[in-house]
Amino acid sequence: MAAYYELKNILKTYHPRRELHVEALRGVDLKLQKGEMIAITGVSGSGKSTLLHIMGFLDQPTDGSIYFGKPIPSKMSDSKRAKLRNEKIGFVLQDFALIPYRTAYENIELPLFFSQVPRKKRRERIRSICEKLGISELIKRKVSQMSGGQKQRVAIARALINDPELILADEPTGALDRKTKQETLSLLKKIHDEGKTVVVVTHDPQVAELADRQLFIEDGVISEGAISRETSKG
Ligand SMILES: Nc1ncnc2c1ncn2[C@@H]1O[C@H](COP(=O)(O)OP(=O)(O)O)[C@@H](O)[C@H]1O
Ligand SMILES: [Mg+2]
């Protein structure tokens, strides 16, 4: 049976300067089943964000193939990639990637604009997701006036608003204190329990423990198993 999501021999080389090559991913193979939650752990600089961005079609691999429900052509146009992303993928990015001078409502509304959901439907869906995540009182507040934990909830609401199949989270607890970290962890767990496929990349072993399966990435090479608590400070 074909996997739900499959990466084969993914390579990613950055060329920050003409004479410099950074091999961020060096032959990554990965199979993901529908409904699974996996954690990919590795220290800072090991290639986690690069991998997640490629999985979410924010960036293209230098080489290798991707299967996501169907084979994904390597030369897919930007607009097709954006459409696929908007329909099927919810991102929870490092540092939240919210627009600070906009309200929670406006931030959560963005993906709905892109999928051309009419205004009234947008309002219903935003209200309902905010209720579900316990952030109704934040709807009109500007992101710049929120705590880290509140921002994270808004970012998660935005990731879920289009009801995507696949959630990709990059260091979702990296910027949070202990209490809000716990809340974010239970939220991710809940999202998974409700049937979403979840990929989380992190250097935090506690986040990784939530997953059905743990993978380890080191210098752009992935293997089964987890990061140890000793090497996780990164
Ligand atoms: N846009 C970029 N240009 C050049 N090098 C990059 C770029 N993004 C990441 N890298 C390099 O690729 C490697 C992997 O980075 P990254 O995927 O961000 O790792 P992680 O998320 O695990 O910290 C690092 O050596 C990093 O410096
Ligand atoms: Mg990163």
Side-chain angles (χ1 to χ4, degrees):
M1 192 184 71
Y4 166 65
Y5 196 119
E6 189 165 354
L7 296 175
K8 269 197 193 145
N9 201 22
I10 295 293
L11 306 176
K12 179 68 180 181
T13 308
Y14 292 110
H15 300 274
R17 289 200 304 278
R18 190 144 37 115
E19 69 280 18
L20 195 66
H21 294 221
V22 180
E23 293 185 338
L25 299 177
R26 301 184 295 140
V28 168
D29 293 319
L30 181 67
K31 273 189 191 175
L32 189 58
Q33 299 303 332
K34 191 152 193 172
E36 199 178 20
M37 175 167 182
I38 66 164
I40 303 171
T41 55
V43 298
S44 179
S46 54
K48 302 183 297 296
S49 296
T50 302
L51 178 59
L52 206 73
H53 292 174
I54 287 174
M55 287 191 79
F57 311 105
L58 283 175
D59 199 359
Q60 279 180 299
T62 308
D63 201 5
S65 62
I66 304 181
Y67 178 95
F68 180 36
K70 59 185 184 213
I72 304 297
S74 56
K75 296 264 183 296
M76 200 183 223
S77 69
D78 285 351
S79 64
K80 280 202 174 137
R81 278 146 42 94
K83 186 161 182 283
L84 184 64
R85 201 158 61 222
N86 198 50
E87 278 173 5
K88 304 216 164 181
I89 298 175
F91 279 101
V92 182
L93 291 174
Q94 218 165 347
D95 70 32
F96 318 122
L98 297 166
I99 306 170
Y101 53 88
R102 297 282 189 182
T103 63
Y105 189 97
E106 291 165 328
N107 272 278
I108 299 167
E109 192 176 31
L110 273 180
L112 296 175
F113 266 130
F114 290 128
S115 29
Q116 300 177 340
V117 175
R119 189 183 153 95
K120 190 157 168 277
K121 275 253 154 22
R122 294 204 297 270
R123 196 166 56 215
E124 284 166 11
R125 277 165 65 175
I126 295 167
R127 288 208 174 131
S128 129
I129 195 95
C130 287
E131 227 163 83
K132 188 171 162 197
L133 298 187
I135 53 171
S136 298
E137 80 282 9
L138 296 177
I139 279 186
K140 290 181 181 158
R141 194 181 303 179
K142 284 196 176 130
V143 168
S144 58
Q145 293 159 7
M146 292 180 193
S147 71
Q150 291 171 330
K151 286 179 192 163
Q152 184 60 290
R153 285 186 171 243
V154 173
I156 291 173
R158 188 188 49 186
L160 294 175
I161 194 70
N162 262 336
D163 197 23
E165 311 176 353
L166 176 62
I167 305 291
L168 302 176
D170 193 350
E171 305 273 10
T173 60
L176 304 179
D177 61 52
R178 228 171 63 90
K179 179 166 165 285
T180 44
K181 175 172 148 176
Q182 289 307 329
E183 287 168 7
T184 301
L185 290 182
S186 1
L187 200 50
L188 276 177
K189 184 91 183 107
K190 190 168 158 205
I191 291 165
H192 170 51
D193 289 343
E194 285 174 0
K196 305 271 186 214
T197 310
V198 180
V199 178
V200 52
V201 305
T202 180
H203 63 256
D204 184 342
Q206 210 192 334
V207 181
E209 279 163 14
L210 285 182
D212 304 321
R213 191 154 62 95
Q214 300 187 13
L215 299 168
F216 179 64
I217 184 166
E218 188 173 28
D219 286 336
V221 178
I222 213 164
S223 54
E224 297 279 336
I227 195 171
S228 77
R229 283 185 184 267
E230 286 69 48
T231 54
S232 68
K233 312 267 186 314

